[in-house]
Amino acid sequence: MKEYIIIPDIHADIDRLERSLTMAGDTPVAFLGDFIDAGRLTKQVDEKAVLSRVRRLVDSGRAVAVMGNHELNAILYHRKGADGAWLRAHTAVKTKQHRSFIEAFGVGTKEAKAWTDWFLTLPLWYELDGLRLVHACWDDTAIELIKARRPDGRLHADDLPEVAAATSPFGKAVERLLCGPEVLLPSGYMFHDTNNHERHKVRLAWWRPEATTWREACLSVPNPDELPSGAIPPDTAALLYSADASPVFVGHYKMIGTPCIEAPNAACLDYPARPCVYRWRAGEGLSAGNLISLDVQKAC
């Protein structure tokens, strides 16, 4: 029986990585991306140790890994376009988000470039042994569009200006897989995010096929009462993952609360305050019993 330990966003936390690998033992590992850029819940920041450990596992065949949006952001941050401008603007906000990587490797240095070259070897998605892996969203339409140019799902340097602009169908497809879908709220509605900024677009929990209302289908809304109380429109409902599709795992969303399985064939594993991994076995349905907390070392 094929088996993997699926590990979500590490964000430069060597302590979390080592605990995750301890849970894996000799079982093959599948990473969901976002290895870099420490967050406020990162306990032990070590960009070099995390990247070196992950790369050794991937290069040896002991692990597979997909690209996360932070890896893509780093690729763009450390490269310039034909006009001489950085492909990802070096604004204060973006530089702060990328600070731990910059502190470890500098900006546009040989070492930073070498690591971002390696990021380009990571595919945008994996589908193997009946299992699907993607950082933020499995979207068949976006994947088929990317496959037409890059059958193996790996970006080339020539793609980067288009990906940075995110205005072409190809660029938007890459953004969908690594950042997930956002949908516009109905006219007259907005919500306040965790920084009290007004937002008119909202993240969609696309893995919840039973969601029918805005409050059931949306993510990262501190006060759900600000959302419409009615049903989501058909074009939004069409973005939800089919209940008969293959099992898929994602990270990215910084979920809160106790880790759980929200759908029979799809799961987000990114719970920064309650880190966990998932023990996946081919032929089995998703089960809460296979969701393993790193803190208490038992099923969540």
Side-chain angles (χ1 to χ4, degrees), residues 185 189-191 202 214-215 218 221 223-230:
L185 289 169
Y189 283 94
M190 59 85 185
F191 72 95
V202 65
W214 286 102
R215 296 177 187 180
C218 294
V221 180
N223 180 13
D225 289 340
E226 291 186 300
L227 297 175
S229 59

Side-chain angles (χ1 to χ4, degrees), residues 6-8 16 20 259-260 268-271 274-278 291-295 300:
I6 304 174
I7 300 177
R16 184 187 301 181
S20 299
C260 63
C268 177
L269 301 181
D270 184 27
Y271 287 81
R274 302 283 298 275
C276 62
V277 299
Y278 188 89
L291 192 60
I292 304 168
S293 168
L294 299 186
D295 292 327
C300 301

Side-chain angles (χ1 to χ4, degrees), residues 20-290:
S20 299
L21 294 174
T22 297
M23 299 305 298
D26 295 329
T27 304
V29 169
F31 289 107
L32 295 174
D34 275 8
F35 307 110
I36 64 171
D37 297 339
R40 63 182 181 83
L41 294 178
T42 299
K43 292 183 177 179
Q44 188 176 344
V45 180
D46 196 330
E47 295 269 357
K48 292 184 180 182
V50 166
L51 288 175
S52 297
R53 188 88 157 95
V54 170
R55 183 169 182 173
R56 286 197 302 272
L57 290 167
V58 172
D59 289 351
S60 69
R62 168 87 161 72
V64 297
V66 295
M67 184 188 293
N69 65 302
H70 280 257
E71 282 75 53
L72 178 60
N73 289 344
I75 291 167
L76 301 177
Y77 191 97
H78 296 275
R79 284 169 172 76
K80 293 181 178 180
D83 60 358
W86 297 106
L87 290 175
R88 179 171 171 82
H90 291 189
T91 64
V93 170
K94 292 172 182 175
T95 298
K96 180 179 179 181
Q97 181 187 61
H98 196 42
R99 181 177 61 231
S100 61
F101 186 94
I102 292 170
E103 289 174 349
F105 304 116
V107 176
T109 63
K110 183 177 180 180
E111 195 171 12
K113 180 67 163 47
W115 277 115
T116 58
D117 283 345
W118 181 70
F119 297 161
L120 277 173
T121 70
L122 302 175
L124 300 174
W125 70 88
Y126 253 114
E127 189 164 18
L128 69 171
D129 301 313
L131 170 67
R132 290 174 168 179
L133 307 171
V134 69
H135 181 63
C137 178
W138 189 277
D139 183 311
D140 286 316
T141 300
I143 287 172
E144 289 306 313
L145 191 154
I146 295 167
K147 273 186 178 181
R149 184 190 301 183
R150 305 299 179 204
D152 66 356
R154 291 173 170 85
L155 296 175
H156 292 197
D158 292 346
D159 301 323
L160 297 179
E162 187 177 356
V163 170
T167 54
S168 70
F170 185 89
K172 289 178 179 179
V174 172
E175 184 177 53
R176 174 62 63 90
L177 300 188
L178 297 193
C179 298
E182 288 191 349
V183 294
L184 186 65
L185 289 169
S187 178
Y189 283 94
M190 59 85 185
F191 72 95
H192 294 84
D193 65 16
T194 54
N195 294 315
N196 205 37
H197 296 147
E198 291 186 4
R199 302 286 185 182
H200 295 271
K201 285 187 173 182
V202 65
R203 282 180 165 181
L204 185 70
W206 54 270
W207 59 84
R208 297 173 182 168
E210 303 302 321
T212 59
T213 69
W214 286 102
R215 296 177 187 180
E216 292 172 337
C218 294
L219 289 169
S220 306
V221 180
N223 180 13
D225 289 340
E226 291 186 300
L227 297 175
S229 59
I232 56 176
D235 59 341
T236 298
L239 298 174
L240 300 178
Y241 196 63
S242 173
D244 60 3
S246 298
V248 61
F249 289 88
V250 298
H252 184 64
Y253 291 96
K254 295 181 173 60
M255 304 290 283
I256 59 175
T258 301
C260 63
I261 303 298
E262 295 189 335
N265 63 337
C268 177
L269 301 181
D270 184 27
Y271 287 81
R274 302 283 298 275
C276 62
V277 299
Y278 188 89
R279 184 178 297 278
W280 180 84
R281 297 182 179 95
E284 292 186 359
L286 303 194
S287 167
N290 290 333

